[in-house]
Amino acid sequence: MKRHAILLVDDEPNIVNALKRSLRDEGYDVYTAHDGQSALELLKRQKIDLIIADQIMPGMTGVELLKLARLRYPDTARIMLTGNANLNMAADAINQGEICCMLVKPWDDTELKLSIQMGLEQIEFNKKRRRMLAMLQEEDDKLGDLEHNYPGISELEKDAEGKILLE
């Protein structure tokens, strides 16, 4: 079974250490960054499945980081962590970063773990959905080719068992 990689981004070392302790026994590969720029550098080198980012950090806010992560790494789930939740910031995180969850400091460990699980499941669901849409598009293209080569083929009448009815 694949181990998921999680990136914790917070400028406060105590918060990063507490998050790492919370996730110690969960079987994740945990990476850390203390600002948005170093998080982006790490994302270039390492496949990350989920990012947990603080909102207030020097140089780049969590919303800015998560928006860039969404654009550059769409298969990475995103969670906002903040000590100062307000409606405008939450709306920005949802609309720009397309976060799956928002956690407020101090967080509940059970809520943290469930949020991570939900984020990872959402990413897997989206990957499967994209694969299925690609398969449907491929089948639609094949049907279009058939219709082009055999005009009217899609309009043949069929019985309940799918057999073509000949008149």
Side-chain angles (χ1 to χ4, degrees):
M1 187 167 172
K2 177 185 180 282
R3 286 175 56 103
H4 290 286
I6 295 178
L7 173 58
L8 309 174
V9 188
D10 198 306
D11 60 320
E12 296 180 46
N14 291 340
I15 298 294
V16 172
N17 290 333
L19 286 166
K20 283 171 62 175
R21 273 192 308 277
S22 296
L23 301 176
R24 177 181 26 213
D25 298 329
E26 299 303 308
Y28 300 123
D29 292 329
V30 177
Y31 298 86
T32 62
H34 295 289
D35 59 60
Q37 194 57 48
S38 31
L40 291 172
E41 290 299 320
L42 193 141
L43 285 164
K44 287 180 189 175
R45 299 185 315 272
Q46 178 64 47
K47 168 73 172 98
I48 298 294
D49 298 301
L50 183 134
I51 302 170
I52 300 174
D54 183 30
Q55 168 60 6
I56 300 173
M57 297 183 289
M60 181 184 305
T61 67
V63 168
E64 292 167 332
L65 168 61
L66 296 176
K67 178 182 178 181
L68 289 171
R70 175 185 60 84
L71 294 171
R72 296 177 187 175
Y73 310 98
D75 286 335
T76 300
R78 296 162 302 278
I79 295 176
M80 175 63 70
L81 178 67
T82 184
N84 306 337
N86 68 56
L87 193 55
N88 288 335
M89 190 268 302
D92 286 344
I94 291 166
N95 293 328
Q96 296 177 37
E98 292 184 9
I99 62 169
C100 60
C101 303
M102 178 177 286
L103 298 172
V104 179
K105 296 176 186 175
W107 63 89
D108 174 79
D109 280 350
T110 302
E111 184 179 2
L112 170 69
K113 292 170 187 176
L114 287 173
S115 296
I116 290 170
Q117 185 178 3
M118 283 183 357
L120 294 171
E121 287 173 0
Q122 179 184 22
I123 289 300
E124 289 305 313
F125 172 79
N126 288 339
K127 285 179 187 177
K128 287 179 184 175
R129 183 177 59 87
R130 279 196 302 277
R131 280 193 303 268
M132 290 178 69
L133 286 172
M135 288 172 44
L136 282 172
Q137 183 62 52
E138 188 177 313
E139 294 300 316
D140 189 52
D141 292 346
K142 289 178 184 176
L143 187 58
D145 289 344
L146 277 172
E147 183 64 41
H148 177 75
N149 294 328
Y150 305 97
I153 193 169
S154 60
E155 297 181 23
L156 294 175
E157 289 190 43
K158 298 177 184 173
D159 66 13
E161 295 173 2
K163 294 180 184 174
I164 296 174
L165 296 174
L166 300 175
E167 295 181 34

